[in-house]
Amino acid sequence: MDSIAIHGGAQLFGDIPVSGAKNSAIKLMAASILTDQPLLLTNMPRLADTRFLGQLLRQFGVEVTERDGADGQESLFHAKDLTSTFAPYDLVRQMRASFNVLGPLLARTGEAKVSLPGGCTIGARPVDLHLQALTALGAEIELEEGYVTARAPRGLRGAEIEFPFVSVGATEHALLAAVLAQGVTVLRRAAREPEIGDLAHCLTAMGAKIEGVDTDVLTITGVSSLNGATWSVIPDRIEMGSYAVAAAMAGGDVRLTKARAELIGSLTDKMVEAGVEVSSTADGVRIRRDPKQRLKAVDVETAIYPGFATDLQAQFMALMTTAEGVSTIRETIFENRFMHVPELARLGAEISVHAGEAHVTGVEVLHGAQVMATDLRASMCLIIAGLVAEGETTVGRVYHLDRGFERLEEKLGACGADIRRIKGQDDGMG
């Protein structure tokens, strides 16, 4: 497995371009199943997750073409003839979000057999709400030997669906299925994440009829077919926020380009409270900090959008490890998302965890050590801590990182970070 080594102490100066949003791109890719015409996605990230889903789409007979366009990387998806509606475990298990092909396959063909996605290291994340929504739309669903077999021989039909709690995945899945359902579908207590808005706007460009985008009530009037479209993936707000925290941690002056500052307002508000200088630019956001001035500890609580993103919790915790005072970080979304705490402790951080709260007592200095990434966001948290740790920090198992961050070493290195990838080295963690 690859590792990443960082020699701490370098300030960051320069520009970091933000890639297209992974969590939007993979749902937009799934939307290509809904039409027999080409869907061109621009500003596409090249990540392990998009590669996995590309393999799964090819399994269904979708033509997938990756290329360089005038404005960066783009991918063309053409599901002219679907030759299969079977999604095997070996492909689905590599990425949970690939389960969301079930709805589009069912909506277009009337049948699908898709593997359940399996467990997740940061929480249970069951798919019950996904299946309940599809059942409400008229699907006949059977669970057998780890697979979901779904049928809608007479097509899906509109329904009123009120989610018992906000679920990003279930909202996206119901939306993907409802656009081709007969009649009107109303989704209540729908999630409002920007990635859902991006999906809805792309579907609208393909001919879908959707009202209430960016609210918690979505009304979808089904259409008989969708056309192709060209759509630009929104900037990745988690990547944007992660690099904003990295710049604040290391100190210096960094401009995040191809970005949208309003997507990370809940994070930058807390960063300003801690003593970081944040300003909007014509195409993104600028982060400045004098590392001689110690940050102040601030409290955060994760919440559904537009609250503080759970996907930025680990990164912000790294920032607080050297802040003056004690910060309390409450995790309300995933029950198991403090697995990075023991690894930060290996660098000298002082953190105690009680149920869903972590109390971080800032220390003046972190020290480099060998650490192990436990999930995607925890990987970035350890990279951020390594930027200021004295000596060298080696982060093992960075295949997690490659799922969500494109050319990370190149982007940080271009701003002055002393960072390098060590190919195929045993991480020593067993």
Side-chain angles (χ1 to χ4, degrees):
M1 300 181 198
D2 289 2
S3 301
I4 288 180
I6 313 111
H7 198 279
Q11 294 183 52
L12 303 181
F13 295 92
D15 294 352
I16 297 180
V18 175
S19 300
K22 172 184 81 82
N23 288 341
S24 185
I26 54 183
K27 305 304 167 52
L28 295 169
M29 291 171 67
S32 70
I33 297 170
L34 293 166
T35 177
D36 62 2
Q37 298 180 34
L39 175 64
L40 177 63
L41 299 179
T42 63
N43 195 35
M44 272 291 289
R46 297 279 185 257
L47 299 164
D49 277 8
T50 56
R51 287 195 300 274
F52 290 149
L53 188 52
Q55 291 172 18
L56 183 56
L57 292 177
R58 290 186 178 98
Q59 161 91 9
F60 305 142
V62 181
E63 296 177 15
V64 181
T65 306
E66 296 182 348
R67 63 196 191 194
D68 292 328
D71 296 318
Q73 297 166 159
E74 58 186 39
S75 296
L76 182 67
F77 304 91
H78 193 184
K80 183 179 180 181
D81 297 303
L82 294 178
T83 57
S84 170
T85 58
F86 175 60
Y89 173 70
D90 282 348
L91 289 177
V92 176
R93 71 178 176 82
Q94 297 182 75
M95 184 185 60
R96 284 188 56 84
S98 58
F99 183 72
N100 283 49
V101 300
L102 176 63
L105 287 172
L106 186 61
R108 180 167 167 194
T109 70
E111 63 180 23
K113 184 175 181 180
V114 177
S115 169
L116 289 166
C120 177
T121 59
I122 60 171
R125 299 210 279 184
V127 294
D128 303 28
L129 295 186
H130 299 232
L131 300 182
Q132 289 168 18
L134 294 176
T135 300
L137 292 170
E140 302 167 1
I141 290 177
E142 296 179 5
L143 300 179
E144 187 177 13
E145 297 180 347
Y147 280 87
V148 176
T149 300
R151 297 181 182 85
R154 291 178 297 279
L156 297 175
R157 60 180 183 273
E160 290 236 0
I161 300 170
E162 181 163 352
F163 298 111
F165 54 87
V166 176
S167 167
V168 174
T171 300
E172 292 167 329
H173 209 160
L175 179 60
L176 282 164
V179 290
L180 291 183
Q182 302 167 37
V184 177
T185 298
V186 180
L187 304 180
R188 302 188 187 278
R189 204 173 289 160
R192 295 184 291 152
E193 268 69 4
E195 296 79 17
I196 293 173
D198 200 35
L199 174 62
H201 288 304
C202 177
L203 289 169
T204 300
M206 295 168 67
K209 297 179 179 178
I210 305 169
E211 299 175 6
V213 178
D214 298 326
T215 75
D216 61 358
V217 179
L218 292 172
T219 302
I220 306 105
T221 302
V223 296
S224 59
S225 63
L226 294 177
N227 48 260
T230 297
W231 192 256
S232 179
V233 182
I234 62 168
D236 194 314
R237 62 192 171 98
I238 305 304
E239 183 188 26
M240 192 190 325
S242 299
Y243 286 128
V245 173
M249 187 71 161
D253 187 347
V254 172
R255 290 172 298 278
L256 304 178
T257 63
K258 299 177 66 177
R260 286 168 46 187
E262 73 274 12
L263 296 179
I264 56 168
S266 58
L267 168 68
T268 53
D269 286 349
K270 288 295 181 180
M271 290 172 59
V272 170
E273 189 180 337
V276 181
E277 191 176 336
V278 179
S279 58
S280 294
T281 65
D283 68 340
V285 62
R286 184 178 185 181
I287 309 295
R288 288 186 288 185
R289 186 173 85 84
D290 180 354
K292 297 189 183 73
Q293 302 296 317
R294 195 172 177 191
L295 294 174
K296 303 180 186 70
V298 298
D299 299 338
V300 299
E301 179 175 325
T302 62
I304 59 174
Y305 189 84
F308 194 99
T310 181
D311 281 350
L312 290 171
Q313 176 258 108
Q315 297 90 313
F316 194 82
M317 184 183 291
L319 184 65
M320 291 293 97
T321 58
T322 57
E324 187 173 9
V326 179
S327 61
T328 298
I329 297 177
R330 285 197 69 220
E331 175 57 61
T332 69
I333 308 298
F334 291 125
E335 67 273 19
N336 209 18
R337 210 165 201 180
F338 286 141
M339 292 189 297
H340 48 279
V341 169
E343 301 305 305
L344 286 173
R346 289 176 58 81
L347 300 175
E350 293 186 10
I351 306 169
S352 61
V353 175
H354 306 282
E357 283 189 359
H359 302 282
V360 186
T361 302
V363 297
E364 292 198 16
V365 180
L366 295 177
H367 300 278
Q370 188 176 22
V371 292
M372 179 185 70
T374 54
D375 61 66
L376 171 55
R377 308 311 174 186
S379 307
M380 190 62 186
C381 148
L382 298 172
I383 297 287
I384 290 168
L387 290 172
V388 299
E390 291 186 347
E392 186 163 274
T393 298
T394 304
V395 182
R397 296 188 179 174
V398 295
Y399 60 85
H400 293 292
L401 196 73
D402 295 335
R403 289 186 47 232
F405 290 90
E406 186 177 25
R407 306 191 315 276
L408 177 134
E409 314 95 89
E410 177 186 324
K411 290 182 178 183
L412 286 175
C415 290
D418 187 347
I419 183 171
R420 70 186 191 281
R421 180 175 290 251
I422 305 170
K423 284 286 186 182
Q425 176 170 300
D426 184 351
D427 59 17
M429 299 293 176

